[in-house]
Amino acid sequence: MKTSIFILIPLIGISFASNAAIKVTDNFSVGGFGSTSMTKSDNSTPLFVHREIDDSTCYDCDTTFGLQADLSMTDDINASLQIVKRPQDNWSDPEVEWAYLGYQYEDFSFRGGRQRVPLFLVSEYYYVGQAYTWARPPQEVYDSLMGFTFYDGLSAAWQSDISDEAAVTASLYYAFEHEYKTELGNDKLIFDTDRIAGASIELSGFNYRVHLGYAHVKFTQLPAATPTAEILNVYTLGGEYSHDQWQFIAEVQSDQIQTNWYVSSAYNYDMFTPYLVYAESHHRRQSQSLTAGLRYDITYSVSLNAEWQGVYMDSSRYDKFGTGAFISPPKLTGEDKDAQLYTLMLNFVF
């Protein structure tokens, strides 16, 4: 029986979430991953947080390159380091995306250090483009928290097989104070978090996953005339299911200021995988998008994506100088409220 490629693709990301690819010694391994694209929109107003794609052909808006090292010090103690040049980073200034020390005791695992926020289905391998079907994870959901992906703190997880075909993982985490910085066009924003506390639970089987996440965030946004601490409670729910050569994925994210969701379907035929995605953002951004793409797996570790995405905004929101998926209101410069985005993406792991 032929194993569906949809079973294999996420394993690439999971392998980077647990152990890097190349064994240097019996207890030390390294690996890497990357993505690069040629992309262009028909709208001069930049699209998407940290990518800012406009009507000029861009060769580095999606450029990502990461290295990961894993060390098993004993059977129970391990350490992992991942350094990533993200789309928003200069090559000379990559980000440490995680760096933690872990301890395993029977069905329990404990980690301390920098770790990935476990809110979404692909959080653990967000920057490993080879590990998911699309050129980019749907921005409506994955941009909802301004692209922040890590925290500095402690976590505890419990994992157990509940049957021969299903396993459950439940985790708790707590993040210490940290300043998250981001740029939106010419604006430089700082989110000074006092704390992040959260939980996640995931049920998985051979051809499905269901993920539920929660985060309680206390933060202060700067600059501000009168800095005020705010509380954000974030809820996420996602699921994916593969049947024969079909794959279906859906996720929703909601908090006090927004609700965002997407549905995705894909069909694998040999090395080709056409896919469709429909997504919506409500309240804060208010936009919709439709994506159609084709992924070609050159090898197990190298793939190409050709993708078209239409991004749309309601006229009423546009007239009120809404941003939608844009970095700034397109009405400010007299641009159209919609955009057509074209992307050719190369992904690889080693």
Side-chain angles (χ1 to χ4, degrees):
M1 184 177 98
K2 182 179 178 181
T3 301
S4 169
I5 193 171
F6 299 126
I7 306 299
L8 300 176
I9 286 176
L11 295 178
I12 299 168
I14 292 170
S15 68
F16 276 98
S18 54
N19 291 290
I22 303 170
K23 279 199 170 185
V24 179
T25 66
D26 288 342
N27 65 338
F28 180 66
S29 58
V30 297
F33 52 89
S35 299
T36 188
S37 75
M38 179 174 64
T39 186
K40 182 179 181 179
S41 165
D42 65 352
N43 195 308
S44 63
T45 308
L47 278 166
F48 304 150
V49 174
H50 294 157
R51 300 181 192 262
E52 302 195 7
I53 303 165
D54 57 23
D55 60 353
S56 300
T57 301
C58 184
Y59 297 94
D60 63 356
C61 290
D62 295 298
T63 300
T64 302
F65 184 78
L67 294 173
Q68 180 173 322
D70 293 284
L71 175 65
S72 296
M73 289 174 278
T74 69
D75 289 341
D76 302 320
I77 301 174
N78 69 289
S80 184
L81 171 68
Q82 188 183 93
I83 299 175
V84 183
K85 185 274 172 204
R86 305 166 301 173
Q88 67 267 36
D89 296 328
N90 294 319
W91 282 98
S92 60
D93 188 27
E95 183 62 80
V96 177
E97 270 293 309
W98 73 46
Y100 63 80
L101 184 68
Y103 173 70
Q104 184 78 33
Y105 176 74
E106 296 182 350
D107 293 336
F108 295 90
S109 60
F110 307 90
R111 292 178 178 178
R114 178 161 295 184
Q115 303 171 63
R116 194 65 50 82
V117 180
L119 277 174
F120 305 112
L121 282 172
V122 304
S123 288
E124 283 292 313
Y125 46 92
Y126 175 71
Y127 291 110
V128 186
Q130 182 68 3
Y132 40 78
T133 305
W134 327 287
R136 307 173 192 89
Q139 302 297 304
E140 287 79 1
V141 168
Y142 285 84
D143 270 0
S144 59
L145 301 180
M146 305 298 289
F148 300 131
T149 55
F150 64 79
Y151 69 93
D152 296 329
L154 305 172
S155 69
W158 170 75
Q159 182 175 20
S160 179
D161 294 331
I162 58 176
S163 73
D164 292 338
E165 300 179 350
V168 64
T169 302
S171 66
L172 299 172
Y173 59 95
Y174 184 87
F176 306 124
E177 184 177 357
H178 186 84
E179 281 192 354
Y180 295 92
K181 300 178 181 179
T182 191
E183 295 184 10
L184 288 178
N186 296 322
D187 297 327
K188 296 183 179 181
L189 304 177
I190 297 175
F191 295 87
D192 186 2
T193 60
D194 181 66
R195 65 174 182 268
I196 302 175
S200 69
I201 185 167
E202 183 167 297
L203 176 67
S204 59
F206 176 71
N207 64 339
Y208 68 90
R209 280 198 303 153
V210 178
H211 183 93
L212 178 66
Y214 168 73
H216 168 88
V217 186
K218 183 179 181 181
F219 71 98
T220 302
Q221 183 175 332
L222 304 170
T226 306
T228 304
E230 301 179 57
I231 299 293
L232 193 68
N233 291 298
V234 184
Y235 302 88
T236 63
L237 175 64
E240 64 174 301
Y241 174 73
S242 299
H243 177 70
D244 294 334
Q245 303 311 108
W246 286 96
Q247 181 198 51
F248 304 95
I249 304 177
E251 281 190 277
V252 60
Q253 178 274 335
S254 185
D255 55 55
Q256 297 98 307
I257 60 175
Q258 62 186 335
T259 296
N260 311 286
W261 61 269
Y262 74 86
V263 291
S264 171
S265 64
Y267 182 84
N268 172 246
Y269 179 76
D270 199 13
M271 306 306 289
F272 294 93
T273 305
Y275 56 90
L276 288 172
V277 184
Y278 178 75
E280 291 188 0
S281 290
H282 295 273
H283 308 304
R284 181 172 69 89
R285 292 185 292 180
Q286 296 188 15
S287 66
Q288 307 85 39
S289 72
L290 178 64
T291 303
L294 178 66
R295 169 172 165 143
Y296 173 56
D297 285 276
I298 301 171
T299 68
Y300 176 74
S301 57
V302 181
S303 66
L304 281 172
N305 283 74
E307 188 176 279
W308 164 85
Q309 185 172 6
V311 181
Y312 311 102
M313 192 192 316
D314 292 338
S315 296
S316 60
R317 184 65 174 171
Y318 172 78
D319 291 336
K320 294 178 182 177
F321 293 90
T323 57
F326 296 99
I327 299 301
S328 60
K331 189 175 177 65
L332 284 176
T333 56
E335 262 290 4
D336 193 78
K337 64 183 180 65
D338 303 328
Q340 310 294 314
L341 177 64
Y342 306 91
T343 301
L344 184 64
M345 179 87 75
L346 173 70
N347 301 300
F348 59 89
V349 295
F350 60 90

